[in-house]
Amino acid sequence: MPRHLERGSIDDDSCPRLQDTLEVVGRRWTGSILVAAVQGARRFGEYRALIDGISDRLLSQRLKELESQGLMERTVVPTTPVQITYSLSPAGKDLIDALQPLAAWSARRSLATPGGRADTGSRQA
């Protein structure tokens, strides 16, 4: 029996923005950058210190991508030397709020599976 599709729901064929959002959030290191921002990182070096294993080039690239998506704000502080800070934009904060239920679901799921990790099967990306 067909379900009634609420406009803007996960089942709504006219809402491709969800797929776009999932692709942005699912890119390698993006989640770590967002978490670092929530934890208070503002300067490039703070992000790098909080994200183990990310290269400077990739961190710079991801910050620019998140800024272009409207999820991060880049501020130039006119000091000597010039300081550049990165913080979550209002849209980025909204995204974090939207991801909180997913984080809670993931935590519950990992507790419910043997070994404490969610079963991802044998799929490879």
Side-chain angles (χ1 to χ4, degrees), residues 11 15 29-30 32 36 39 52 63 65-66 76 78 115 120 123:
D11 296 324
C15 190
W29 301 110
T30 297
S32 297
Q39 292 174 340
D52 189 39
L63 286 168
E65 290 170 359
L66 290 168
V76 177
T120 58
R123 290 181 286 160

Side-chain angles (χ1 to χ4, degrees), residues 24-36:
V24 168
V25 172
R27 293 201 67 183
R28 184 167 171 90
W29 301 110
T30 297
S32 297
I33 293 169
L34 294 172
V35 168

Side-chain angles (χ1 to χ4, degrees), residues 51-101:
I51 306 168
D52 189 39
I54 192 168
S55 69
D56 288 355
R57 182 190 63 79
L58 199 50
L59 176 57
S60 178
Q61 180 182 345
R62 290 294 183 265
L63 286 168
K64 287 177 185 174
E65 290 170 359
L66 290 168
E67 182 186 6
S68 73
Q69 294 284 327
L71 299 174
M72 297 288 286
E73 293 177 341
R74 180 180 185 266
T75 304
V76 177
V77 182
T79 58
T80 305
V82 172
Q83 292 183 17
I84 298 174
T85 62
Y86 300 90
S87 59
L88 289 170
S89 68
K93 291 175 185 174
D94 287 345
L95 175 61
I96 293 297
D97 290 343
L99 291 173
Q100 291 298 344

